[in-house]
Amino acid sequence: MTASIYADVSQGCSVLGREQECEAFDTGIALMQAAQADPGNFDRKRDAARHVQTLWGYLIKDLSRPANDLSDDLKGNLISIGLWVIREADAILGDRKDDWAPLIEINKTVREGLAT
């Protein structure tokens, strides 16, 4: 996914809403980076996973609303990404995975798309 894909999502959003979404992604990225740097700290891991799961849960819910006027293809792609993020964070919480890098990267990409 390129940063330009999520730029379509930001069209029609208020500047304030976009800023809040950027802040939510920035917080999630910072939490994941802190968890990656301190893998033995369960509290950091839990906080990062909860944040990104809550953020993407909200985005999926919004993308699923009939009033959301994005194309069905774009909504489907973003929902798939969101479900993947939620599953990956759950796998990290369950100690089935330990690498935050893919989650950090996809969240950075989406965040960059919001800023354009």
Side-chain angles (χ1 to χ4, degrees):
M1 178 174 152
T2 65
S4 63
I5 289 176
Y6 206 82
D8 293 335
V9 174
S10 65
Q11 289 179 350
C13 293
S14 70
V15 172
L16 179 59
R18 201 171 321 141
E19 287 175 5
Q20 290 172 335
E21 288 175 342
C22 287
E23 288 176 17
F25 275 100
D26 289 343
T27 299
I29 292 163
L31 288 169
M32 288 185 289
Q33 289 171 330
Q36 178 91 358
D38 190 6
N41 187 324
F42 180 78
D43 290 339
R44 286 184 193 262
K45 184 189 317 190
R46 182 199 58 229
D47 292 347
R50 282 185 181 170
H51 182 87
V52 296
Q53 288 177 326
T54 300
L55 173 60
W56 278 99
Y58 172 80
L59 293 172
I60 290 167
K61 183 177 177 181
D62 183 61
L63 290 163
S64 299
R65 290 183 313 118
N68 188 306
D69 61 353
L70 295 175
S71 73
D72 289 342
D73 286 342
L74 181 56
K75 288 191 285 189
N77 288 336
L78 290 169
I79 289 170
S80 292
I81 290 167
L83 293 172
W84 176 83
V85 168
I86 290 169
R87 281 191 307 270
E88 289 294 301
D90 191 51
I92 289 173
L93 269 180
D95 290 328
R96 294 182 305 278
K97 293 191 176 185
D98 63 357
D99 187 9
W100 288 95
L103 286 167
I104 293 168
E105 196 59 40
I106 195 70
N107 280 276
K108 281 183 174 181
T109 300
V110 173
R111 166 47 175 103
E112 289 169 9
L114 285 169
T116 59

